[in-house]
Amino acid sequence: MTLALSWSEWAAHDGVALADRVRKGEVTAAELAAQAAAAIARLNPALDAVVEVFDDVVADPLKDGMNAAGPFAGVPYLMKDLGPTLKGRLQEMGSQLMQGNVASADSHLTQKIRAAGLNLIGRSTTPEFGVCSSAENAISVTRNPWDTAYTTCGSSAGTAAMVAAGALPLSHGTDGGGSIRIPAGVNGLVGLKPSRGVFSIAPGGSDLSSIVSSQGCLSRSVRDSALFVDSCRGGAPGEFMPYWRADEPYADLIRRDPKPLRIGLSHQWGPYGTSPEIIAELNRAGRYLESLGHHVEEAQPAIDYEAAFKAQTTCYITNFAQTIALLLEPRGLTRPPEDLVEPMNIRLWAAGIDATYSERTRMQLAFNTASRGFGTFFERFDIILTPTMAKPTPRIGTSEYLTVSDEPDVHAWFANLWGIFAYTPLANLCGIPGISMPFGTLANGLPMGIQLMGAQGQDGLLLQLAAQVERALGGAWNRGAVPAHHVTRG
């Protein structure tokens, strides 16, 4: 097979650059799709990150309605096997229970993605129903391209692996507690969880039923993430919640450096902290931001962290229980079958299926209190700077935090999770934006991400600051290193 670009050229292009070459007539959308499919074929045996490639769309990028005149002009894109649906395509949610499940229609966001000129060429892996932060079960064991002994984390597991390995410049992710930012952090990528009220999951959810979950993408460049938001934001007809509008396109905003910002550096969140190694890298990031003209000091929101994490746990247990129940109902099932659903998800269902309105009310009050605490913090500071992860990237098979865990108490299981992923979930609780970007390297040789968080609707400011850092680094995220499994290797 003759490829349109050498692998070094391919890896050097982000989505914006590939789209520019299509518009100049130097390469076609079909050639881009073929090269992405070839990259997946090379990498997937080692990474187990792609469930399916749509060969018919690779052959004909216009087949499913992609808008070739959109800003991404046919750049190939994977859809996480969870969340937005693709008409006539399988969506199996990382679950044996859902094998053979075919979507009847495109979701609203899917339509936006196609209109943006992104060519949906396949499905990337996810843990079952997106629960937890590693894809390790009977469907897939997705491995980190930097070192395949380690997880990609998740739940946007396959997307993170393939974007980091250079197969595609950007692809889809979802984030209910860090599932865009965490895999971005441990794979050396840019991952924005937007504010609540940026992307729609219609017709499958709303602000009330999907209060903590966000859509988005993982990318290798800030401008790809900015253009994705510009192109795909907004609600569907009939949605009750307001959707944020930017004063100018983020793709334009990020070309300018932000004004000097007040940044609160933070790493002790109530009962959860991190290691001296990660603190040292975080402090190095703080000094780097100071060198760019920003004011950085240690500070953290004055909230009841234990109450906030308890409420977040209630939210997850009750939301996942109802998600599972809604999947069981059309199959004539009254409880999850033990041979088709992961043990921890059965325990989550059992723990949450009979939750009361009173429990949810207390949860929502705790959400409100925490949100007001963060809001007060953002009266004094523009940005919170934290690590993306509280602990180093876990190895494959670390059963105490995977969906295959034998921990009988789901509350204890979540408490353990929060000890690993302490810094990401509260942004979901409050509906505020957070972005992970590469900055450090851990002793195990894997990338370390740092997270920026801002006030509601300040997604553009996070992207603007991330773009300033990217320019200052000369575009050399991860200090110019590439993963062991990468399109440019072998």
Side-chain angles (χ1 to χ4, degrees):
M1 174 183 177
T2 302
L3 299 175
L5 303 173
S6 70
W7 287 119
S8 59
E9 287 180 299
W10 177 258
H13 285 67
D14 65 359
V16 171
L18 288 176
D20 285 344
R21 294 196 67 169
V22 173
R23 281 188 286 269
K24 292 174 182 175
E26 297 172 355
V27 67
T28 68
E31 288 172 326
L32 296 185
Q35 186 135 3
I40 292 167
R42 295 180 70 187
L43 295 162
N44 209 45
L47 303 181
D48 195 10
V50 175
V51 183
E52 178 187 9
V53 171
F54 305 144
D55 292 332
D56 53 347
V57 177
V58 172
D60 178 8
L62 301 180
K63 181 180 184 300
D64 284 348
M66 184 273 290
N67 173 25
F72 282 104
V75 168
Y77 190 85
L78 293 170
M79 188 73 89
K80 179 178 178 179
D81 198 21
L82 186 74
T85 54
L86 285 67
K87 182 178 180 180
R89 302 288 180 183
L90 291 168
Q91 186 185 68
E92 296 169 316
M93 308 178 195
S95 176
Q96 294 183 84
L97 176 68
M98 299 304 294
Q99 294 301 291
N101 178 60
V102 177
S104 60
D106 279 350
S107 295
H108 178 74
L109 183 57
T110 302
Q111 296 172 14
K112 289 272 196 176
I113 290 170
R114 295 196 200 281
L118 288 164
N119 184 19
L120 294 167
I121 66 165
R123 297 182 287 145
S124 60
T125 57
T126 182
E128 185 175 63
F129 310 135
V131 176
C132 192
S133 194
S134 188
E136 294 181 56
N137 58 27
I139 302 299
S140 60
V141 178
T142 303
R143 297 179 180 274
N144 194 305
W146 293 86
D147 185 336
T148 53
Y150 291 85
T151 175
T152 59
C153 288
S155 60
S156 304
T159 279
M162 281 294 159
V163 174
L168 309 97
L170 75 163
S171 279
H172 173 248
T174 68
D175 192 314
S179 289
I180 288 173
R181 291 160 290 159
I182 292 165
V186 305
N187 290 275
L189 301 173
V190 175
L192 171 72
K193 184 210 85 70
S195 295
R196 188 178 300 142
V198 172
F199 296 125
S200 168
I201 192 60
S206 70
D207 188 33
L208 290 179
S209 64
S210 303
I211 192 167
V212 299
S213 188
S214 298
Q215 303 295 310
C217 72
L218 289 85
S219 72
R220 296 196 303 270
S221 74
V222 176
R223 68 178 184 173
D224 274 3
S225 289
L227 184 60
F228 181 85
V229 179
D230 288 340
S231 305
C232 300
R233 69 188 310 157
E239 292 193 79
F240 80 94
M241 68 174 288
Y243 280 79
W244 295 100
R245 296 296 177 199
D247 293 334
E248 68 176 305
Y250 293 157
D252 295 336
L253 175 68
I254 64 170
R255 293 173 184 162
R256 304 190 305 273
D257 288 347
K259 66 179 184 181
L261 300 173
R262 300 161 298 168
I263 299 173
L265 183 150
S266 182
H267 55 76
Q268 187 64 46
W269 286 42
Y272 302 116
T274 188
S275 66
E277 175 192 15
I278 290 175
I279 292 172
E281 287 292 84
L282 179 68
N283 287 333
R284 188 172 69 86
R287 291 192 298 273
Y288 192 80
L289 290 170
E290 284 185 321
S291 76
L292 299 179
H294 305 294
H295 172 76
V296 180
E297 65 178 273
E298 288 202 23
Q300 66 180 47
I303 66 169
D304 185 336
Y305 287 90
E306 292 193 40
F309 280 107
K310 181 180 178 181
Q312 189 81 339
T313 299
T314 298
C315 183
Y316 275 114
I317 291 172
T318 54
N319 281 6
F320 280 124
Q322 294 301 324
T323 295
I324 293 168
L326 290 172
L327 296 173
L328 295 175
E329 186 177 328
R331 290 161 178 79
L333 300 170
T334 57
R335 63 171 293 113
E338 293 185 5
D339 60 334
L340 296 177
V341 177
E342 294 291 333
M344 185 52 70
N345 280 329
I346 295 176
R347 295 184 196 114
L348 285 173
W349 171 85
I353 194 61
D354 294 321
T356 66
Y357 185 76
S358 295
E359 289 176 274
R360 291 285 290 190
T361 297
R362 287 192 292 272
M363 175 202 85
Q364 289 165 348
L365 288 172
F367 275 30
N368 184 68
T369 301
S371 295
R372 298 304 181 267
F374 273 89
T376 299
F377 181 88
F378 287 122
E379 293 289 305
R380 296 176 49 232
F381 290 91
D382 302 298
I383 299 286
I384 304 173
L385 171 66
T386 74
T388 302
M389 291 260 288
K391 293 184 179 179
T393 307
R395 288 179 174 269
I396 293 286
T398 312
S399 62
E400 65 265 24
Y401 92 108
L402 303 179
T403 54
V404 295
S405 171
D406 57 5
E407 168 60 64
D409 183 343
V410 295
H411 290 273
W413 183 71
F414 271 112
N416 182 68
L417 284 188
W418 303 145
I420 303 170
F421 311 125
Y423 306 114
T424 56
L426 299 190
N428 299 78
L429 181 156
C430 298
I432 62 177
I435 190 170
S436 179
M437 59 183 180
F439 193 81
T441 302
L442 298 175
N444 60 16
L446 272 67
M448 175 187 148
I450 57 170
Q451 178 186 216
L452 309 172
M453 300 165 65
Q456 289 185 7
Q458 291 297 313
D459 307 47
L461 182 63
L462 298 188
L463 289 164
Q464 193 179 27
L465 179 55
Q468 181 186 27
V469 173
E470 186 180 45
R471 278 190 295 273
L473 293 172
W477 294 124
N478 309 304
R479 300 175 182 174
V482 297
H485 291 269
H486 193 262
V487 291
T488 60
R489 294 184 183 268

